[in-house]
C-alpha cells in the first residue's frame, strides 16, 4: 500500500511539509516503547460534493483524553487540529480519506515524563467500504489487556501489539478477522472495532470497561435511538453470541460490517432482514450527510 507519494503533504508540528521529507527522532520514547497516542478518522465526500470529516471534534477530543491518560503533555487545540486536517485534505485533493493524527514523545530512553510532545497528521485515500461481504470471524486465543495494566480507554500505540497478534493469528488460520474476549472470558471487541450482536430484534453490546468504547459504537447507539431499536449494554459470553441471529463490527475504518460466522457458528438470519442491516444503512447515509455549519 502506498500511503504517500513524493508530493504528499502532512501536517507536522504547526507546518505543512512533504511526507517524504518529514523526520522524527529515532531516540523517541514513542518508537522504543509504543508510548504514543493516535486517532483513526475518516472523511467522506458528501451528497452536496463537499468533504466532511466524520465526528471530527469527537476524534480530536479523544486524542487529548488518550494523551492525558498516559501522561503525554498535550498542548494542541482541537479547532486548530481540525482546521489543519482540512488543509491536509485540501492540499492532497482528498475526499474519501483515512486520517491519522499521532501525538508522540521526544528523545527519551528512560521511562520518565516529558515536558513536551509532538503531533503529525497524515491522510490517504480510502474509499468507503461498508462491505456487503460478511466476515468470517474467529475467537482469538489472545485476550484484550487487563484494564489494570493499561488505560484501556486510551488509543495508545502500545495497545495495538495485542491487536496485531490477534489479527495475524486469525488471518493465518484463514479467517477474515479476530474477535477477542476480555480477561474474564467475556465478549470484548475486535482488534480495531466494537461489536454488537442481535437477538429477536434487540441489539446487545459489551459495556465499557474492557474495551475502547468507540465513536462509531456511540453513533450506532444514537442511530438505534433514532430508529427505535432496543439496545442493551452489558456483560456477555460466547454462549450469548453463538445463539444470536446476527452480529456486526463497527469502527471508523470498518464502518458497520456484518458477520457471517464466528468459529463454526453461522449466524442464521439473512443480514438484509436484520435490525443490524437497518443500522448499517443509516450509518452509510449519516457519513455522507453534509455538515450543517
Ligand atoms: N476498538 C478498538 C480496539 C479500536 O482500535 C477501534 C478503532 N479506533 C474501535 C474499537 C472503534 O473505535 P471508533 O469507532 O472510535 O473508530
Amino acid at each position: 500500500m502506498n500511503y504517500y507519494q513524493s508530493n504528499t503533504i502532512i501536517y507536522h508540528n504547526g507546518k505543512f511539509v512533504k511526507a517524504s521529507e518529514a523526520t522524527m527522532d529515532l531516540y523517541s520514547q514513542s518508537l522504543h516503547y509504543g508510548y504514543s497516542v493516535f486517532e483513526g478518522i475518516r472523511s467522506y465526500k458528501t451528497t452536496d460534493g463537499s468533504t466532511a470529516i466524520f465526528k471530527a471534534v469527537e476524534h480530536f477530543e479523544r486524542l487529548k483524553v488518550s494523551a492525558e491518560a498516559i501522561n503525554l503533555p498535550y498542548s494542541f487545540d482541537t479547532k486548530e487540529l481540525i482546521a489543519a486536517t482540512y488543509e491536509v485534505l485540501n492540499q492532497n485533493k482528498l475526499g474519501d480519506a483515512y486520517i491519522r493524527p499521532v501525538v508522540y514523545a521526544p528523545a527519551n530512553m528512560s521511562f520518565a515524563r516529558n515536558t513536551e510532545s509532538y503531533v503529525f497528521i497524515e491522510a490517504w485515500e480510502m474509499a468507503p467500504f461498508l462491505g456487503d461481504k460478511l466476515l468470517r470471524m474467529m475467537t482469538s486465543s489472545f485476550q484484550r489487556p487487563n484494564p489494570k495494566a493499561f488505560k484501556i480507554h486510551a488509543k495508545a500505540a502500545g495497545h495495538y501489539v495485542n491487536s496485531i497478534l490477534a489479527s495475524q493469528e486469525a488471518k493465518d488460520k484463514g479467517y477474515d478477522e479476530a474477535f477477542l474476549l476480555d480477561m474474564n472470558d467475556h465478549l470484548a471487541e475486535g482488534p480495531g472495532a466494537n461489536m454488537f450482536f442481535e437477538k429477536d430484534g434487540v441489539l446487545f453490546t459489551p459495556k465499557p470497561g474492557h474495551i475502547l468504547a468507540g465513536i462509531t459504537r456511540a453513533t450506532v447507539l444514537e442511530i438505534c435511538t433514532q430508529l427505535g431499536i432496543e439496545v442493551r449494554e452489558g456483560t456477555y459470553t460466547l454462549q450469548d453470541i453463538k445463539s444470536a441471529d446476527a452480529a456486526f463490527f463497527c469502527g471508523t475504518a470498518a464502518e458497520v460490517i456484518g458477520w457471517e460466522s464466528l468459529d463454526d457458528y453461522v449466524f442464521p438470519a439473512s443480514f438484509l432482514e436484520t435490525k443490524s442491516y437497518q443500522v448499517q444503512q443509516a450509518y452509510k447515509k449519516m457519513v455522507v450527510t453534509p455538515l450543517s455549519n
Side-chain angles (χ1 to χ4, degrees):
M1 166 97 194
N2 271 343
Y3 294 100
Y4 64 96
Q5 286 93 36
S6 57
N7 56 352
T8 299
I9 299 295
I10 66 166
Y11 175 82
H12 195 195
N13 299 324
K15 296 195 181 101
F16 296 92
V17 297
K18 282 189 172 182
S20 58
E21 291 171 8
T23 59
M24 79 172 270
D25 198 319
L26 294 184
Y27 294 78
S28 164
Q29 202 183 25
S30 299
L31 183 63
H32 290 253
Y33 308 124
Y35 185 61
S36 62
V37 296
F38 68 100
E39 267 306 317
I41 312 175
R42 269 188 191 252
S43 61
Y44 292 88
K45 210 172 266 170
T46 69
T47 48
D48 73 0
S50 63
T51 291
I53 301 172
F54 188 63
K55 303 276 180 187
V57 171
E58 287 83 347
H59 281 283
F60 281 102
E61 287 295 309
R62 184 171 66 187
L63 186 66
K64 181 170 194 250
V65 166
S66 296
E68 289 173 352
I70 67 165
N71 309 322
L72 275 172
Y74 194 93
S75 57
F76 313 111
D77 178 71
T78 290
K79 267 196 183 149
E80 280 175 28
L81 293 182
I82 292 174
T85 306
Y86 274 108
E87 186 57 25
V88 167
L89 294 174
N90 193 32
Q91 291 206 21
N92 294 296
K93 300 186 174 57
L94 290 167
D96 292 320
Y98 188 79
I99 299 154
R100 171 53 58 81
V102 177
V103 173
Y104 66 99
N108 180 359
M109 292 298 96
S110 81
F111 297 155
R113 286 177 192 243
N114 307 288
T115 53
E116 57 179 346
S117 58
Y118 309 120
V119 65
F120 63 77
I121 303 170
E122 302 167 336
W124 56 89
E125 192 177 337
M126 190 185 272
F129 45 87
L130 280 167
D132 310 325
K133 193 186 154 287
L134 302 177
L135 298 176
R136 293 176 51 257
M137 300 291 306
M138 172 193 146
T139 306
S140 184
S141 70
F142 296 95
Q143 294 176 328
R144 290 300 285 167
N146 181 339
K148 287 187 176 173
F150 289 99
K151 295 290 179 74
I152 210 76
H153 65 284
K155 206 165 161 55
H159 299 178
Y160 284 82
V161 177
N162 172 256
S163 297
I164 286 172
L165 290 172
S167 192
Q168 290 179 350
E169 177 193 50
K171 283 166 187 162
D172 286 349
K173 295 199 167 161
Y175 292 89
D176 294 318
E177 193 49 282
F179 179 69
L180 293 88
L181 305 177
D182 69 20
M183 55 180 284
N184 303 311
D185 279 339
H186 293 132
L187 305 185
E189 62 185 329
N194 293 116
M195 184 276 300
F196 286 73
F197 63 92
E198 175 174 342
K199 208 179 273 189
D200 300 328
V202 177
L203 294 184
F204 300 82
T205 195
K207 65 179 187 196
H210 293 263
I211 58 168
L212 183 83
I215 291 162
T216 319
R217 178 184 178 279
T219 307
V220 167
L221 295 176
E222 222 179 278
I223 287 171
C224 287
T225 305
Q226 285 167 10
L227 299 183
I229 298 170
E230 189 183 338
V231 197
R232 296 185 202 151
E233 296 178 71
T235 303
Y236 306 108
T237 64
L238 271 179
Q239 229 173 344
D240 293 318
I241 192 171
K242 290 190 178 180
S243 54
D245 302 323
F248 63 88
F249 260 156
C250 67
T252 299
E255 301 176 308
V256 176
I257 181 161
W259 291 9
E260 177 183 305
S261 56
L262 175 63
D263 307 321
D264 55 6
Y265 179 77
V266 178
F267 293 94
S270 155
F271 194 72
L272 300 184
E273 288 162 18
T274 59
K275 302 281 183 194
S276 303
Y277 177 72
Q278 292 176 21
V279 169
Q280 185 190 53
Q281 295 308 299
Y283 186 78
K284 201 173 184 159
K285 220 168 139 186
M286 196 183 237
V287 295
V288 297
T289 302
L291 298 177
S292 49
N293 49 14

